[in-house]
Structure formats: C-alpha cells, structure tokens
Amino acid sequence: MRKATFNRVMGLLLITLILQSSCMGQTSAHYNDSPRVIVTTDGEIDDKTSFVRYLMYTDEFQTEGLIYGNSKWQRHGHGTVWMQDAIEEWAKVRDNILLHRDGYPTPEALKEVVYAGNMDEEFLHYAGPLESDGARHIIRVLLDNDPRPVWVQAWGGTNTIAQALAIMEKELSKEELDYAHGKLKIYAIADQDSTARMIRERFPNLFYIQCHQFTALNYQHEGHPYSDHYIFHNDWTTENVKTGHGPLGATYAQSYFSEGDSPSFFHLIGNGLSAEQNPTWGGWGGRFMKNNGNNYFSDAIDDGDRLHGQWIWLPDIQNDFAARMDWCVESYEKANHYPEIKRSPPDVLEVKPGGKVKLKVKATDPDGDELSFNWWHYQFAGDNPYPNEIPVDENSGNKIEVKVPGDATGKEIHLILIVSDNGSPVLKQYRRVILKVN
C-alpha cells in the first residue's frame, strides 16, 4: 500500500474512532452553525491570557484542535501542559457557567484535541513536509467529511500549518488537495516566522488573513482613543477577572488587558456582526481588505488609521468578557445576560438610489433590563462601500428610516444596529443590514 494511501486510511480510521467515542464533546459529527476552530500557539504570556478568554467563549466554536508550537519570539514554545492546566481551572467553574449559557464543550473534549506541533528551533522557518502530531491533526480535520470551513488560527508561528500543507501537497491527489484547501481559512497574528510569507506565495489561492490590528489591544502606547481607557488599567483586570471570579480568572497572567492573539477568535463570535462571512465587513476581530489576491486579506486603513477597525469595538469586547467572568461565580439572578433580537430586517436589501428604507426590529432582555437601540452607518465596511457618511437618527428607537443617496449606485451601505441593555456590565447584540444600491 502506498504511504499516502496508508496515511489517509489511518486518518479516516482515527476520525471514525473519535466519532464513536462516548465522550465526543464538539466533533465534526455535529454539523451545526458554530465555526470550526484549530488554535496553534507558542505559549507566550499573552497567548495564555488569550486562552483564558478563549475558554470562556468555547460555546461559540467547535474546537477541533489546540496545538502547541513556537515562533521567532518563543523559539522553543512554552511546554506542552499549560493549555491542559488552564482547562482544568476552567473545569472547576464550568458547571456555574452552564447556569447562564449552554453549548460549552466538556473539559475532556477539549483535552482530546490537544497536540504538539513543531517546537524545534531548527525547523522554525521550515515549510517542508515535517511530521508532527499537530500537523497530522490539521490534515485529518481538513480531510474529514464535514465540509464546513476550518479556521486555523496562528497565535504564534505558522510553521506547523506550513508543514501540514507541504505534507498534503506531497501525499494527496489533486481532488483531495482542492477539498482540503477549500476548507482551510487561516487567521494569522502578524508573521511570527518566515513560513507565513512562504504559505502566501506558494498557495496564493488559500484564504489568509494577516492581522496587525492586534496592537490595538496588546500595547497601551499605541495612542488610539481607548489606549488610556479604564479597560486597559490594572484595576479593571483585577476587579473583573483576576480576583473574585474563580480559579480560571486567577490564572490570568498579565496585570492589564494585553491579549495579542484574541482577535483571531473575536472574528468568529456570533454577536450578529457576521464578520466571518467577509473580512471587509469588519467586526470584533478587526477589518481587512484584499491584498494582491482574491483570498489574501490584510489590515484595512480606515480614516487613515490601521487600528480603527479593531479599537472601535474594545469597550464592548471588555464588557462582554466581564459579564462572562461573572458567570463563573454568580447565580443567574445576579449576573447579566445578552439582549435577544427576536425579529430584524433581512441581512441584505436591494434598494434604489434616492429611495427611502424603513427598518424595524424587535428585541427583549432575559433579565428584564431596559433596552436602547442605536443605529450607525459603518461607512468603511464592505468591498465597495459608499464613501460618504449617511445621516442616521441614532436614537430613533427600534425603527429607522434611511434615505439612500442618489449617487450611491453600485455601492454597499452597511447599517449596524446596536441593542444595549442597562445591566452591569452593559451587554450588546448587533445586526448588520447591507443595502445594495442598484
């Protein structure tokens, strides 16, 4: 039997055994709307704080892999137990979290998908077919029978991803390779080894997001409008995460908000912005534009600011995290929960230039909180946005009338609805309505 065929058969056999396991957790057997995610990480201190937050959002994802690796900053990684240790601390508060929201995987399901990728400095910049458990696991997931996209996040270097791609190129048929490449979506935090450039050059049709907007939430010295905001202060992190919020919060390694890798999964959180459908739309994980190819996206420069697409969401992001950390220790009655948008306009509306559009929503709050409705024209969003600001009555309540500019033919107009409660901390849900002007 050819080696390639043997490896594929063994991979399929392993998948079958996993699906038959009595503790399946989140696996590809469950076709649902949750994004499929593989995390690769070099274990840097901000990776560890990002992972604390990631665990609090695992109801939002189908976690298919947690892979140890390295980077040019952490050439040997940081060992192969710290994610399991964090999962253990999260397990201690999981039952209380489930009082507030279901859909969280079991600790066992998360531990089952932990693997080691490349952690050898000798192969830090190697994009060839290097064997590792992590690389083989990426391949198994990309070849499984679940056709949904797989978001492979690079919190550290991309070498394990590159090595998996090289193995597939060596062993797979064109049909199999096209199938795997069609599912793969890479969201990389910067270029943390030289294989990132090699991936983009060697596989130009792969979907690839290169993010540098993470600096908006990783470094206080960037000078964006929220850089001196209370959400960045040590006191905020101490009060809302590190103390009084159970053993997971106590493991948060940094004294202030500094999570350079979190945008990779912010991009996928189901808050109603739907940015995962198109990186040019913008959302919690930043906003991106096509760069030298149909599937390569890099930071959008909005209003002359490369960080704009990230920092505009930071207060909402932090309030959301604070509320979830409360779920670790509080009863349902004492914590805050998301407003629920019960009815909203279609996601996309075909409109005429010069016409008027009336939009109306209905929302409720599970805690009985008072709701406010804020409408906003996100003038930078989309592949071909209408460039001028459109006046919107921000405080018009749950319904709004917008006049379509007469010169907007062929453009997109992204209207964002923000539904906010008056709980503590304030929680928000969004809806995006795209007006396509014909």
Side-chain angles (χ1 to χ4, degrees):
M1 182 181 294
R2 289 172 52 233
K3 181 180 179 183
T5 304
F6 174 80
N7 287 330
R8 289 198 293 275
V9 171
M10 292 304 294
L12 291 172
L13 177 59
L14 178 59
I15 291 168
T16 302
L17 292 173
I18 291 173
L19 298 184
Q20 291 175 344
S21 169
S22 60
C23 184
M24 290 168 61
Q26 290 183 316
T27 71
S28 55
H30 293 166
Y31 287 19
N32 54 42
D33 294 331
S34 300
R36 305 180 76 196
V37 169
I38 294 176
V39 173
T40 67
T41 170
D42 63 358
E44 201 167 7
I45 187 170
D46 68 313
D47 294 51
K48 293 179 178 178
T49 50
S50 286
F51 193 63
V52 168
R53 192 183 299 241
Y54 180 86
L55 289 170
M56 293 302 301
Y57 286 86
T58 47
D59 63 308
E60 299 278 349
F61 319 120
Q62 189 163 315
T63 302
E64 300 282 5
L66 301 169
I67 297 175
Y68 292 106
N70 62 354
S71 72
K72 63 184 180 182
W73 312 112
Q74 308 295 325
R75 292 176 174 270
H76 303 285
H78 272 281
T80 56
V81 295
W82 65 266
M83 282 194 286
Q84 291 95 322
D85 290 344
I87 292 168
E88 283 292 331
E89 299 307 307
W90 172 77
K92 297 173 184 177
V93 295
R94 178 178 176 272
D95 285 348
N96 208 78
I97 296 171
L98 288 171
L99 298 176
H100 303 269
R101 193 173 174 92
D102 59 14
Y104 283 88
T106 64
E108 294 76 17
L110 293 176
K111 289 179 181 179
E112 283 177 358
V113 295
V114 176
Y115 293 88
N118 178 60
M119 303 180 72
D120 188 336
E121 181 179 5
E122 180 181 353
F123 297 102
L124 174 61
H125 300 290
Y126 182 62
L130 183 70
E131 289 285 340
S132 70
D133 291 341
R136 279 293 174 188
H137 183 66
I138 291 172
I139 295 168
R140 282 195 296 270
V141 176
L142 291 176
L143 288 177
D144 70 19
N145 61 355
D146 184 340
R148 292 176 299 149
V150 179
W151 290 85
V152 181
Q153 303 173 3
W155 297 12
T158 50
N159 54 59
T160 298
I161 303 170
Q163 290 153 13
L165 287 167
I167 293 171
M168 289 193 293
E169 190 177 36
K170 179 181 178 181
E171 296 183 353
L172 302 186
S173 67
K174 183 181 184 303
E175 182 181 18
E176 292 168 320
L177 202 58
D178 289 345
Y179 176 75
H181 284 185
K183 288 169 60 173
L184 176 59
K185 292 181 179 290
I186 299 172
Y187 188 121
I189 301 296
D191 285 356
Q192 299 191 54
D193 63 48
S194 62
T195 65
R197 175 180 51 80
M198 297 176 195
I199 291 172
R200 296 192 297 268
E201 291 177 353
R202 191 170 181 178
F203 304 102
N205 293 321
L206 283 181
F207 182 98
Y208 195 107
I209 295 176
Q210 180 191 36
C211 174
H212 290 90
Q213 294 173 57
F214 69 91
T215 54
L217 59 151
N218 197 33
Y219 301 109
Q220 294 171 305
H221 60 72
E222 283 292 334
H224 59 73
Y226 291 112
S227 60
D228 294 324
H229 195 278
Y230 181 59
I231 58 174
F232 278 104
H233 290 193
N234 295 11
D235 290 348
W236 188 97
T237 306
T238 299
E239 176 185 346
N240 292 285
V241 182
K242 293 170 70 70
T243 63
H245 288 82
L248 177 67
T251 69
Y252 194 88
Q254 305 202 94
S255 60
Y256 65 94
F257 179 28
S258 180
E259 302 171 20
D261 303 294
S262 295
S264 61
F265 62 87
F266 288 164
H267 183 69
L268 303 175
I269 291 172
N271 52 25
L273 290 171
S274 304
E276 74 284 354
Q277 295 185 32
N278 187 331
T280 71
W281 290 4
W284 278 15
R287 201 180 81 79
F288 306 91
M289 294 301 293
K290 291 180 180 178
N291 185 340
N292 297 329
N294 291 331
N295 291 318
Y296 171 33
F297 297 84
S298 59
D299 301 314
I301 301 177
D302 296 338
D303 202 23
D305 183 357
R306 179 173 58 84
L307 304 182
H308 183 279
Q310 181 67 72
W311 65 249
I312 57 175
W313 309 104
L314 292 183
D316 295 359
I317 286 169
Q318 284 295 78
N319 279 340
D320 203 277
F321 185 37
R324 289 198 177 220
M325 290 305 299
D326 287 344
W327 297 351
C328 293
V329 293
E330 298 289 1
S331 66
Y332 189 93
E333 292 72 24
K334 290 186 177 181
N336 198 19
H337 306 89
Y338 296 109
E340 299 172 0
I341 298 176
K342 298 292 188 181
R343 187 174 68 245
S344 63
D347 295 339
V348 179
L349 292 173
E350 302 281 346
V351 298
K352 299 293 185 182
K356 292 184 178 180
V357 179
K358 294 182 179 181
L359 305 175
K360 185 177 181 179
V361 301
K362 180 180 179 180
T364 61
D365 189 86
D367 306 312
D369 293 335
E370 182 179 341
L371 298 179
S372 61
F373 300 81
N374 179 265
W375 302 83
W376 168 47
H377 171 217
Y378 192 179
Q379 70 185 95
F380 305 111
D383 291 302
N384 189 21
Y386 180 71
N388 302 320
E389 186 174 356
I390 298 174
V392 175
D393 183 1
E394 297 179 351
N395 300 308
S396 60
N398 70 326
K399 56 186 178 180
I400 190 175
E401 181 176 283
V402 177
K403 183 176 181 180
V404 181
D407 61 349
T409 299
K411 301 294 185 180
E412 294 179 12
I413 298 170
H414 287 238
L415 300 176
I416 306 296
L417 166 67
I418 307 173
V419 180
S420 309
D421 68 16
N422 65 343
S424 180
V426 172
L427 288 178
K428 299 181 179 181
Q429 288 287 277
Y430 313 87
R431 282 296 180 272
R432 181 191 303 265
V433 180
I434 302 174
L435 306 182
K436 287 188 173 291
V437 188
N438 294 321

